[in-house]
Amino acid sequence: MLLTWSSFNNIRMLLMACMPVIIFYLVWLVNTSEAVRSDEGTLLDLICWPDGNAIPVIIACGSIIAVVIEFYGLYQLFKAGLHKREYNVTNGLFYYVWALITIIIIFLAIMFYSGLQSTIIRAKIKGGITKAMLRYATHLPSKVAIDRLQTRFHCCGRVNYQEWFFIPWYNAGQNMDPIIPSVQKFVSDNVPYSCCSMDVMWPCIHHGVTKIGKIYKYDPEKQLTIWRDGCEEKLIEEMMTISWRFNAVMFLIIIAMISQIVAVRYLHTAYKNGLHVGNQTPCSAYLLRSDTDTKIEDVPKRKQLKKRKFRQARTLQWVTAASHKKRLITSSVSDFSSDELLKPIYE
């Protein structure tokens, strides 16, 4: 296709106007991944290390690289509107196209890894929460993880609050056996204080949850003062929501970058063929060079060769015809006898 200078400049200005939007969403990816790493990621690391930091760090690194590439492309497009003698950006636009292709491949790999890792994390969360609950009384990081998990997601236990009834999480000053029991055995109807609900307006009853209390008029069948839901599904749902949010934004960025590749490729080929502010004659631009393009380019050359051959043949005919006439004249003159040539003029 032929690209004029006005269309070249319009595409260039449109790309330069859209790039800040892409950069904004890339910066949003960096900030959000850092927030997730410091909040949900740290909490997830306490349960199943190091899955909480892996995905946010990878997304942040890929987004930072993409921001640098976008600023590089913005600089190259700005120079494309200047004189080519002073600022030649043929190689710069070419490198920018390949950099966009590279970052698209990186984002697709991150999306694939995120989807694969979310499935693995689902299995790890189940075992991680149970292990942390069993080590609640003897391991301080496990206690911190469970307390933060139950307070953050308004939950109690892995599946429900009754799981705490079979775990010796409260030692009351005596030494506890740190060995994880293989068979569940009822210990007491107590739950940690982090299970207390913030929706009720009366004191939290987390010791003797199943018993009726006369002091506070507590009746477990009518109203519990602790969270009923388990933490496993809520944590998995939160991680899946974050993963889908990241993947949706990266997918939109990939679509925008594909559009950038197509537009910049047309600009690059037109600029390479001589279109710039100093030479505004329409030039050919293409996305991918194919056989049809080469054939179209070869047709004028073949016509020129045919014209040249025709001219050379016609010139050769003229020369041969002239030389043939000259030979006829000379031969006719030589046919005269020498005696006739020596005759006196007066005869």
Side-chain angles (χ1 to χ4, degrees):
M1 60 176 289
L2 290 177
L3 199 65
T4 61
W5 171 250
S6 60
S7 57
F8 179 92
N9 202 31
N10 290 334
I11 295 173
R12 185 179 67 88
M13 296 301 293
L14 182 62
L15 285 173
M16 293 178 67
C18 293
M19 280 183 178
V21 180
I22 299 175
I23 293 173
F24 171 78
Y25 280 104
L26 289 172
V27 174
W28 179 86
L29 280 178
V30 175
N31 293 333
T32 307
S33 60
E34 178 60 26
V36 170
R37 189 193 65 82
S38 60
D39 191 5
E40 287 87 355
T42 304
L43 182 60
L44 190 61
D45 279 344
L46 293 174
I47 298 173
C48 48
W49 187 89
D51 298 319
N53 287 326
I55 296 176
V57 169
I58 293 174
I59 292 175
C61 293
S63 301
I64 291 172
I65 296 172
V67 169
V68 174
I69 291 173
E70 289 295 328
F71 275 112
Y72 174 77
L74 188 64
Y75 175 66
Q76 295 298 325
L77 288 174
F78 173 76
K79 291 200 304 182
L82 304 177
H83 289 281
K84 192 173 183 179
R85 293 181 179 178
E86 299 177 1
Y87 304 97
N88 192 349
V89 295
T90 304
N91 294 330
L93 293 176
F94 179 76
Y95 296 149
Y96 177 55
V97 170
W98 280 105
L100 288 175
I101 294 173
T102 304
I103 200 64
I104 286 174
I105 295 173
I106 292 174
F107 275 5
L108 289 174
I110 291 174
M111 292 172 64
F112 176 77
Y113 176 76
S114 176
L116 181 64
Q117 195 70 7
S118 61
T119 306
I120 298 173
I121 289 175
R122 179 185 288 269
K124 287 185 176 181
I125 285 175
K126 181 178 180 180
I129 294 177
T130 303
K131 185 177 180 180
M133 289 174 63
L134 292 172
R135 301 170 62 187
Y136 187 87
T138 57
H139 191 245
L140 182 60
S142 299
K143 180 181 184 305
V144 173
I146 293 298
D147 288 338
R148 287 185 59 184
L149 179 65
Q150 295 183 148
T151 305
R152 169 72 173 77
F153 293 102
H154 298 172
C155 57
C156 186
R158 184 179 67 84
V159 179
N160 52 46
Y161 66 93
Q162 295 178 356
E163 289 183 340
W164 287 109
F165 298 169
F166 302 91
I167 296 174
W169 63 271
Y170 181 70
N171 54 19
Q174 68 269 23
N175 294 327
M176 300 293 296
D177 188 6
I179 301 176
I180 298 175
S182 58
V183 180
Q184 288 188 349
K185 182 180 179 181
F186 182 82
V187 179
S188 62
D189 55 349
N190 302 330
V191 297
Y193 181 75
S194 56
C195 288
C196 292
S197 174
M198 293 182 289
D199 296 336
V200 296
M201 301 301 295
W202 48 84
C204 176
I205 306 299
H206 63 99
H207 287 277
V209 176
T210 60
K211 299 175 183 177
I212 298 176
K214 297 181 179 180
I215 298 177
Y216 297 107
K217 297 181 180 181
Y218 172 72
D219 189 357
E221 295 182 357
K222 294 181 180 180
Q223 181 65 49
L224 285 174
T225 59
I226 59 175
W227 304 111
R228 295 174 179 267
D229 299 329
C231 298
E232 179 184 355
E233 290 298 326
K234 289 195 173 185
L235 181 58
I236 292 174
E237 183 180 357
E238 181 70 15
M239 298 307 297
M240 292 298 292
T241 302
I242 293 172
S243 177
W244 279 108
R245 192 187 309 164
F246 279 138
N247 290 340
V249 175
M250 285 191 291
F251 180 74
L252 294 176
I253 292 174
I254 287 172
I255 293 176
M257 286 185 174
I258 291 173
S259 303
Q260 282 183 318
I261 290 172
V262 174
V264 174
R265 177 59 177 169
Y266 279 115
L267 295 182
H268 168 251
T269 53
Y271 192 86
K272 183 179 179 181
N273 291 329
L275 183 63
H276 57 92
V277 67
N279 180 23
Q280 300 186 6
T281 56
C283 294
S284 60
Y286 52 87
L287 182 62
L288 296 173
R289 185 182 290 273
S290 61
D291 295 336
T292 56
D293 296 331
T294 55
K295 289 179 181 178
I296 290 172
E297 292 180 358
D298 292 341
V299 167
K301 295 181 179 180
R302 292 179 180 178
K303 288 183 178 180
Q304 291 177 0
L305 290 174
K306 288 181 179 179
K307 288 182 179 180
R308 289 179 182 177
K309 290 180 179 179
F310 176 73
R311 289 177 182 175
Q312 290 176 359
R314 189 170 58 181
T315 305
L316 183 61
Q317 288 178 359
W318 290 347
V319 172
T320 53
S323 62
H324 183 65
K325 288 180 181 180
K326 188 175 180 180
R327 288 177 182 176
L328 289 175
I329 293 170
T330 54
S331 63
S332 62
V333 172
S334 62
D335 289 340
F336 290 103
S337 61
S338 59
D339 296 335
E340 291 178 355
L341 292 174
L342 295 175
K343 282 183 180 183
I345 297 174
Y346 59 85
E347 291 184 357

